[in-house]
Amino acid sequence: MRTLTLVMIAISLAALSGCGTAISEGAGKAFGPEGVVVPIHPSTLSTAEPLREYSRFELGTFTNDIAGQLPADLLGQFRAHFPEMLAKYKVATGTGGKTLLIRGVVLNYEGSGSLAVITSAVEEVVVRTELVDKESGRVLATANCIGRSTTRVNRGIDKKAEGLAKAVAKWIAKLQHFQEEPED
């Protein structure tokens, strides 16, 4: 009887862990990859709504500082996702107003290798990102923007690019609307 009880407990735990994985994967599919912002230098803007006067957002140069590790199409996919993320986070855009130039340097890229599949490791791309007043060239703020996937359904280059676009758009929205943290 004791053996049967132990077997039943083991089966129950296995089933519960499987359900936890299913729930985690479902949430990952619903919410998509993460976009994380880690400020390096706080905004140098002094107004309560520091980016309110900017309504045009231009992606400038993004360079690769990791010599060969970066997939060739990641930055192209980031550029494709960026407009949809600006809309998602309700960043005010238009033809008037000042232009904000967004540029960056890729500092790290962790893709999915065989070890990542086994250990379920995080995949991410880290970009030191600057928000620059295009007219004056003045750097307004600097942060590490991270596109991260933590579930199997969000793995891959496109998902990391989407997470990176999400991070940059959330950061701009936070500064434009002077809010704590835009909701996903």
Side-chain angles (χ1 to χ4, degrees), residues 91-114:
V91 173
T93 59
T95 55
K98 296 175 83 172
T99 301
L100 186 72
L101 180 68
I102 300 105
R103 64 185 183 202
V105 177
V106 179
L107 301 177
N108 188 41
Y109 177 84
E110 295 291 331
S112 61
S114 57

Side-chain angles (χ1 to χ4, degrees), residues 12-78:
S12 297
L13 289 173
L16 285 175
S17 69
C19 288
T21 300
I23 291 168
S24 172
E25 296 294 326
K29 186 89 168 156
F31 294 111
E34 294 178 20
V36 179
V37 179
V38 180
I40 302 299
H41 299 293
S43 171
T44 59
L45 302 171
S46 60
T47 63
E49 296 175 333
L51 295 182
R52 180 63 83 195
E53 60 193 65
Y54 294 89
S55 60
R56 293 180 299 188
F57 302 92
E58 183 179 311
L59 293 174
T61 304
F62 283 78
T63 58
N64 178 6
D65 203 26
I66 54 175
Q69 292 178 300
L70 191 68
D73 55 344
L74 182 122
L75 293 175
Q77 291 179 24
F78 159 70

